Amino acid sequence: MQNSELQYPVLRVTINGTPVDRRPAAFRLMTDQGVPAVIARLSYPADVPAGKPGDALTVSLSTGGADSVLFTGELYGAAVHGAYRELSLTDGYKKLCDTAVMPAYRKEKAAVILEDTLEASGITTTNITCPDLTLNRFSTERVSAARCIHLLIHALGEFGEAGLRYFFDAENIFHFGKKEGAGRNEGPEINLETGNNIISRGEGRLEILPAPVRHSQNITVDGRVQETVRTDMIISQSNSRLTIWVKEPLT
C-alpha cells in the first residue's frame, strides 16, 4: 500500500489447502507487542459447514489484485450462535500452551534450552536471535512450554538482556528475539497519508482499511516512520477497518 487510494478488501479462506467457496461473514484479528498470542475469529452463515477442530486454516486478504496472508494456523473451536457459525482460530502458540516440559539444565546455552522447548512442542519453523549466554542453572517444576519460554526470557533479563519477546507471525513462523532482530513482524512497505488512505486518527492511533499490518512493524505516516504497538482488524459486510496504535521508534 504505497500512497494509494482506499481499496476495499476481499477475504479468502482455505481449510486443509482447499479454498472455501463461501466468503466469511466476518473476520477479526488482534495483535499486541506485549502478548505472544493473537485473537483470531471467523464467522460464516450457520448453514456453512466450515471446518472442524484441528483443521489447518489460512486467511488471506486481496486488495487491488495483491494477495497477503493475514493468518496461518488451525481451527480449535466452532459453535453456532444465532444465524452464524463462529470459528475460533489459533496459531502455534496453542502448541506451546498444550505441551508440558520440566526443564533441568546446568551450564547450558540459552539457545539450546529454547530449541529443546520448541522441539518438545513440535515447532520447527523458526526465526530466532537468542543471546549467546550460558545459564548456570535453569530448572523449574513441570510447566507449559509457553511458561518455560517466559521464564527463560526472565532469566536472560537478569543478564541485562531486556526487550526479548516471542510470537508467531502471519505465516505461523515462531519468532524470538529483540525488535532489532527476530522479535518483530515483517511486512510490505506501508505508506499512509492524511486525506488519502487514513480514515481517521487520534492520539497514537490510526484507522485505515484492512492491510497486512501486525504489531512491531514499522509503517510510514505522513512521511514519518512509526512503530506499531497493537492492531485490531475487523472485516465484515458492514464494517471493514484496521485500527493501529503507534509510537515513535527508538533510534
Side-chain angles (χ1 to χ4, degrees), residues 89-166:
L89 314 180
T90 182
D91 54 21
Y93 183 70
K94 185 174 185 295
K95 290 183 178 180
L96 296 179
C97 294
D98 290 347
T99 302
V101 296
M102 191 165 63
Y105 296 91
R106 290 184 182 275
K107 298 188 182 302
E108 187 58 89
K109 292 279 190 180
V112 172
I113 299 172
L114 178 60
E115 290 165 3
D116 287 351
T117 304
L118 295 175
E119 182 179 357
S121 304
I123 294 168
T124 57
T125 308
T126 63
N127 182 8
I128 296 170
T129 51
C130 186
D132 185 21
L133 289 172
T134 297
L135 303 182
N136 288 330
R137 181 179 179 184
F138 183 82
S139 62
T140 182
E141 61 185 3
R142 193 172 181 84
V143 295
S144 70
R147 176 62 177 166
C148 181
I149 295 173
H150 175 80
L151 293 173
L152 180 61
I153 290 174
H154 178 76
L156 291 171
E158 295 180 350
F159 286 84
E161 296 290 348
L164 290 164
R165 62 167 73 110
Y166 74 97

Side-chain angles (χ1 to χ4, degrees), residues 1-2 31 33 165 167 178-181 183-192 206 208 211-231 242 244-251:
M1 181 187 297
Q2 298 189 11
T31 76
Q33 280 190 11
R165 62 167 73 110
F167 59 89
K178 300 179 183 181
K179 67 180 181 181
E180 297 82 8
R184 65 179 305 131
N185 277 295
E186 301 291 344
E189 180 181 354
I190 304 291
N191 292 325
L192 302 175
L206 304 167
I208 66 174
V213 180
R214 288 188 170 210
H215 73 71
S216 71
Q217 287 181 226
N218 282 347
I219 61 176
T220 302
V221 182
D222 290 335
R224 297 175 60 185
V225 176
Q226 303 273 286
E227 179 185 349
T228 60
V229 177
R230 180 159 47 109
T231 67
L242 170 63
I244 308 171
W245 286 261
V246 296
K247 66 179 181 180
E248 297 284 345
L250 297 176
T251 57

Side-chain angles (χ1 to χ4, degrees), residues 5-11 61-65 199 209-210 235-236 240:
E5 296 181 354
L6 298 177
Q7 295 176 321
Y8 288 92
V10 175
L11 277 178
L61 179 73
S62 180
T63 306
I199 298 172
L209 284 178
I235 302 176
S236 70
S240 293

